[in-house]
């Protein structure tokens, strides 16, 4: 899945001369946490709801609200920004959010802002990719780290006429192995689990529940 598949295309933006009061009002009205700062479509930076709150006087200084209408966005904008391209994989975008501990990524193409993705957008996409909204069963199978294991398991599914809703290959505790995580379209995977075991692979979930 690519960034362009999940990005928000209708982005609420502000200009460098926008006042903090106008930006704060826009963020609250549209219920957004990040506002890209653009000038003729070119991304200059980004401000967050935290940046706006930092400028806002406390309730004890209600008579000092003039600062909101005199301070410009250009005075508080973060110009050192990390962006993604619409054709980047969402896995790469997720890693960037995690590595840099940020809440959103502006999407830029040919120097122009074309969208934005947030941690919420990515989480929603990952839930969809994992097939969490579809009924079925979840399995984890430990396999040797060599070609062919996933094909063997897929053949077992085919023999039973069961669709694979989603599949992920994760590292195992042993470097020589991998764990294939599958969501399959059946509520009774017992026969499939048995045949996976007979094929020489260890089903670590839900078989691990037997000992609990």
């Amino acid at each position: 899945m690519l960034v362009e598949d999940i990005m928000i295309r209708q982005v609420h933006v502000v200009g460098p001369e926008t006042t903090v009061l106008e930006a704060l009002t826009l963020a609250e009205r549209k219920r957004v946490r990040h506002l890209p700062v653009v000038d003729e479509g070119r991304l200059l930076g980004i401000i967050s709801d935290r940046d706006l709150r930092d400028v806002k006087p406390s309730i004890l200084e209600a008579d000092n609200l003039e600062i909101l209408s005199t301070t410009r966005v250009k005075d508080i904008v973060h110009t050192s920004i990390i962006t993604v391209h619409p054709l980047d994989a969402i896995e790469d975008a997720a890693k960037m959010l995690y590595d840099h501990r940020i809440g959103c990524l502006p999407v830029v193409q040919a120097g122009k802002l074309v969208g934005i993705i947030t941690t919420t957008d990515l989480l929603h996409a990952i839930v969809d990719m994992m097939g969490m909204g579809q009924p079925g069963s979840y399995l984890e199978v430990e396999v040797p780290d060599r070609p062919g294991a996933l094909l063997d398991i897929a053949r077992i599914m085919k023999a039973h006429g069961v669709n694979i809703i989603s599949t992920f290959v994760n590292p195992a505790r042993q470097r020589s192995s991998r764990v294939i995580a599958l969501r399959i379209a059946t509520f009774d995977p017992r026969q499939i689990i048995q045949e996976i075991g007979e094929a020489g692979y260890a089903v670590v979930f839900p078989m691990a529940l037997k000992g609990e």
Side-chain angles (χ1 to χ4, degrees):
M1 188 178 291
L2 303 177
V3 165
E4 67 177 3
D5 297 322
I6 68 168
M7 69 182 187
I8 300 169
R9 298 176 185 272
Q10 295 182 340
V11 187
H12 300 293
V13 302
V14 293
E17 295 298 328
T18 302
T19 66
V20 168
L21 179 60
E22 292 169 332
L24 187 60
T25 301
L26 176 63
E28 291 178 348
R29 186 173 72 247
K30 298 298 183 180
R31 296 184 180 180
V32 293
R33 295 176 57 193
H34 304 90
L35 291 170
V37 183
V38 301
D39 186 13
E40 296 182 354
R42 185 171 62 92
L43 181 66
L44 302 179
I46 197 163
I47 55 174
S48 68
D49 56 348
R50 179 179 297 179
D51 299 324
L52 295 171
R53 289 197 305 268
D54 286 345
V55 179
K56 187 176 180 180
S58 74
I59 59 174
L60 299 179
E61 299 176 290
D63 57 344
N64 195 27
L65 293 178
E66 185 181 350
I67 190 173
L68 298 180
S69 56
T70 57
T71 304
R72 305 289 174 178
V73 163
K74 65 182 181 182
D75 299 322
I76 64 170
V77 63
H78 296 280
T79 56
S80 179
I81 51 176
I82 301 166
T83 65
V84 288
H85 189 275
L87 299 182
D88 286 340
I90 67 167
E91 296 95 320
D92 295 329
K95 188 175 187 304
M96 293 169 71
L97 288 172
Y98 176 80
D99 288 345
H100 296 281
R101 300 182 183 276
I102 52 180
C104 77
L105 289 167
V107 185
V108 175
Q109 185 175 27
K112 299 288 186 179
L113 179 71
V114 295
I116 192 170
I117 59 171
T118 67
T119 51
T120 301
D121 300 323
L122 280 166
L123 284 172
H124 187 269
I126 291 170
V127 167
D128 280 348
M129 289 173 63
M130 295 179 67
M132 297 300 293
Q134 302 181 49
S137 300
Y138 177 75
L139 306 179
E140 287 187 359
V141 184
E142 186 169 345
V143 301
D145 188 12
R146 62 171 183 262
L150 182 57
L151 177 60
D152 291 342
I153 294 172
R155 283 173 172 163
I156 293 173
M157 301 297 172
K158 181 180 179 181
H160 286 270
V162 172
N163 282 336
I164 298 176
I165 298 172
S166 66
T167 180
F168 291 87
V169 180
N170 305 311
R173 292 181 180 178
Q174 298 181 354
R175 293 185 178 181
S176 60
S177 299
R178 295 283 182 177
V179 173
I180 300 176
L182 306 114
R183 184 166 293 276
I184 58 177
T186 178
F187 287 115
D188 185 4
R190 289 175 295 180
Q191 187 62 36
I192 290 173
I193 290 172
Q194 179 178 330
E195 292 186 20
I196 290 174
E198 291 171 352
Y201 303 119
V203 178
V204 295
F205 185 89
M207 292 299 285
L209 297 177
K210 283 188 172 183
E212 297 182 358

